[in-house]
Amino acid sequence: MEEKKLDLNSVIGFILIFGILMFMLWQNQPTPEELEAQEQAKQEQVEAEKKAEIKTETFETSTEDFSVTSATDSLKLEGLKNKLGAFAYSSTLPSASNKETRVETELFDLKFSNKGGFLSEVRLKKFDNYDSLPVYLIKDKNIGFNINFGTTDSRILNTQDLYFEPTISENGDNTVVSMKLKVSESKYLEYRYELKPDNYMMDFTIRSQGLSDVVNSSQGVNLDWKQKMIRGDKSVEYENRYTRLTYQHDGGKIDKLSPTSDDDDVEEDVTWLSYRQHFFSSILVSEKPFKTVDLISENLLESGDDDAEFTKLYSSKIPLELQGGELNAPLKFYFGPTDNTVLRQYDYSLDDSIPFGWGIFGWINRYVFVPLFSFLSGLMPYGFAIVVMTILVRIVMSPVTYKSYLSQAKMKILKPEINEINEKYKDNAMKKQQATMALYSKAGASPMAGCLPGLLQLPVFYALFQFFPSAFDLRHKSFLWADDLSSYDTIAELPFKIPFYGDHISLFPILASVAIFFYMKMTTGQQAASQPTQEGMPDMQKMMKYMIYFSPIMMLVFFNNYASGLSLYYFVSNLITIGIMLVIKNFIIDEDKIHAKIQENKKKPKKENRFQKKMKDMMEQAEQQKQMQNRKK
């Protein structure tokens, strides 16, 4: 009887348990929407397997494909696998939240984007812009840093759309930021940044581990680095003239793209690339030269756009080499000032990225003006250093000034005799020329002697023209009424903008223009008075008279937006030159003595050199041929 009761209770218990299970299954049955999603996922999986078998379809990934997911959400995980293949794993990690990783050093405030693994913000902590705002080299998505590659399952992926897992560690005194794009815990693509104390150069390595069976080496791996250059100077047009993409290639050659227009080039064996924004640079250095680089510079500045945020867009496409199916590219990144003193600390000739000028002009700046100005600015304020350097330059060049003025004085004394020769042989150009040359030879004078000293000064003139706009030390240094010697000074703001001049009035260019007017009045006027008028030739006196007024106007307009340090130099230089010439004229050169010396020279027999004799023979032969032709006629 008891056994029957036990069996009956067991049966009832089983019935109750079965009922509860059925109730729970009914409560948790999939909704029609969930059933539809499951069916769609199955169909996508079947289609993916078919495509993987025939391997003829290629997926091009996009940002929307990589939304944040949870590892427990199997449906989303399967969807990601269909689109990302092995790299779906990276989107299941906690870092896949489109957040940034922040790191600070003595020099930098940095942000690394988990999405893409690249530096998304670089602030230089020791510098401010003209408007007292922080200096950012990278900010607000002005950067594009992407590796494009194919996979063995026929996909094309872009690292800028994939999620990297960040870790921060210490290596001695260095801070290491590792950004890993993972296929699994032991397989990944890594960006490794190593920051050193008080150093603008960071080690940057691109390497992979265990991806030889994931990355398709036959399709190639390309690094694309794009960067918009953030405006940082008061005059954006002036800044844009010195914003340039410069690079070193072929074992040390330095080249650059155009700073004034869109430009592109393809170079081989590139050692470094410098994205320069006037006074600050982003430089990528390769321990092993890049085999080829496609370079593009695009001018973003439109005429009259004084409020522009960006000046240029630089772009470089760099094929990366695979070794054994893996990446290993030891690189370096420099983010810092375009300062000769700082850049020379590194071993890659990075100071060649500073526009000191080509050839002899660059040589003069590097080995004369840069050391000289560095020495003087260490002893006195920067404005006074410019004045003292100008005085020293003019003193060194004073012998050239003396030679030029002496030649002009000789030509002025000989002018009456030249006019007599012109009148005597006005119908015979050949005789006139022969007589003129003979007079110059006997008197020891030459019309070219006044030009040569001026030509000798041109390298110095051009070198300084390049030096001041590139002198980082002048940045934000004040002198008298100028707030910043690396930019224009302002004594008045205009309510309108004058084409080619601007919307302000700078005083240093005005002073420089006045000084150059009086300087040219003395030199050009003297030279014009000494030059005889040649028949059939332009009236030099009239041309020089125009130059006396044209040059100051050009100085006034052109330099209104230039660095006030450069205008200060020309102002002081012309003042000193005027002073030197007044001393030469009134205390050194005696025109009566020069005239007496010329007369003595004319009495002495003058031995012709080989060149003069040859020229004389040629002129005589030409004269004889002309006479024979006239007789035949």
Side-chain angles (χ1 to χ4, degrees), residues 504-545:
H504 64 277
I505 298 175
S506 298
L507 182 55
F508 274 129
I510 294 175
L511 295 176
S513 299
V514 173
I516 199 173
F517 171 78
F518 285 106
Y519 166 71
M520 294 195 71
K521 193 79 171 175
M522 292 177 63
T523 58
T524 308
Q526 171 82 3
Q527 191 173 357
S530 65
Q531 290 291 334
T533 303
Q534 298 288 337
E535 187 178 350
M537 298 294 290
D539 190 342
M540 294 301 296
Q541 293 188 25
K542 186 177 292 186
M543 290 180 63
M544 289 179 180
K545 187 180 293 185

Side-chain angles (χ1 to χ4, degrees), residues 70-85:
S70 170
T72 59
D73 193 333
S74 58
L75 292 178
K76 290 184 179 180
L77 180 59
E78 287 299 322
L80 285 171
K81 283 183 178 179
N82 292 336
K83 295 178 179 180
L84 303 180

Side-chain angles (χ1 to χ4, degrees), residues 226-345:
K226 297 180 180 179
Q227 189 170 324
K228 290 182 180 179
M229 308 314 290
I230 302 172
R231 180 252 187 99
D233 288 2
K234 185 161 57 172
S235 173
V236 65
E237 291 184 1
Y238 173 70
E239 176 183 27
N240 203 34
R241 293 190 190 104
Y242 298 94
T243 298
R244 202 164 189 177
L245 194 162
T246 309
Y247 52 94
Q248 186 187 72
H249 64 105
D250 290 335
K253 295 180 182 177
I254 303 297
D255 268 314
K256 46 193 80 70
L257 299 186
S258 172
T260 56
S261 60
D262 295 349
D263 196 7
D264 61 85
D265 201 355
V266 179
E267 288 292 354
E268 298 179 350
D269 296 324
V270 176
T271 311
W272 51 255
L273 303 163
S274 171
Y275 290 2
R276 187 179 76 244
Q277 178 73 359
H278 198 182
F279 287 122
F280 297 95
S281 297
S282 305
I283 305 176
L284 179 63
V285 182
S286 179
E287 296 285 352
K288 181 182 178 182
F290 300 122
K291 284 191 173 180
T292 61
V293 180
D294 289 352
L295 303 161
I296 298 175
S297 174
E298 181 182 348
N299 188 27
L300 303 178
L301 188 65
E302 297 181 1
S303 179
D305 189 4
D306 297 330
D307 298 323
E309 184 179 1
F310 304 106
T311 53
K312 286 188 174 70
L313 170 63
Y314 298 140
S315 176
S316 300
K317 183 176 181 181
I318 309 167
L320 298 179
E321 295 183 47
L322 290 167
Q323 297 178 352
E326 301 287 354
L327 278 172
N328 185 19
L331 310 171
K332 294 180 183 294
F333 256 132
Y334 174 89
F335 295 104
T338 313
D339 184 355
N340 180 71
T341 305
V342 176
L343 292 175
R344 288 188 67 182
Q345 298 175 11

Side-chain angles (χ1 to χ4, degrees), residues 147-162:
I147 292 181
N148 176 274
F149 60 95
T151 64
T152 52
D153 56 356
S154 300
R155 305 171 195 278
I156 296 176
L157 300 180
N158 295 291
T159 57
Q160 65 186 4
D161 298 325
L162 299 169

Side-chain angles (χ1 to χ4, degrees), residues 368-522:
V368 179
F369 292 132
V370 170
L372 175 61
F373 187 76
S374 178
F375 171 75
L376 293 174
S377 60
L379 301 176
M380 59 191 75
Y382 287 90
F384 288 107
I386 293 175
V387 173
V388 173
M389 187 173 79
T390 307
I391 293 172
L392 293 175
V393 170
R394 294 320 306 170
I395 290 174
V396 171
M397 299 300 294
S398 58
V400 177
T401 306
Y402 170 76
K403 288 287 186 182
S404 177
Y405 199 89
L406 178 62
S407 174
Q408 292 176 17
K410 287 182 178 180
M411 295 300 298
K412 181 180 179 182
I413 292 169
L414 290 175
K415 187 178 181 182
E417 295 184 54
I418 297 295
N419 290 338
E420 289 179 8
I421 292 173
N422 290 340
E423 182 65 26
K424 182 177 181 180
Y425 298 107
K426 60 182 179 181
D427 297 326
N428 193 327
M430 188 68 67
K431 287 286 187 182
K432 183 197 303 181
Q433 192 171 7
Q434 288 177 341
T436 303
M437 289 182 64
L439 176 63
Y440 287 152
S441 178
K442 288 181 180 180
S446 171
M448 294 302 296
C451 300
L452 290 176
L455 292 175
L456 291 175
Q457 296 183 69
L458 281 179
V460 176
F461 176 88
Y462 183 77
L464 286 166
F465 183 79
Q466 291 292 109
F467 169 78
F468 283 103
S470 304
F472 185 86
D473 288 341
L474 292 180
R475 190 175 180 272
H476 293 183
K477 301 300 188 301
S478 61
F479 181 66
L480 299 178
W481 56 86
D483 296 327
D484 185 349
L485 287 169
S486 71
S487 186
Y488 59 81
D489 63 291
T490 305
I491 58 168
E493 297 284 352
L494 298 176
F496 49 84
K497 186 172 182 179
I498 301 174
F500 304 108
Y501 184 74
D503 56 1
H504 64 277
I505 298 175
S506 298
L507 182 55
F508 274 129
I510 294 175
L511 295 176
S513 299
V514 173
I516 199 173
F517 171 78
F518 285 106
Y519 166 71
M520 294 195 71
K521 193 79 171 175
M522 292 177 63

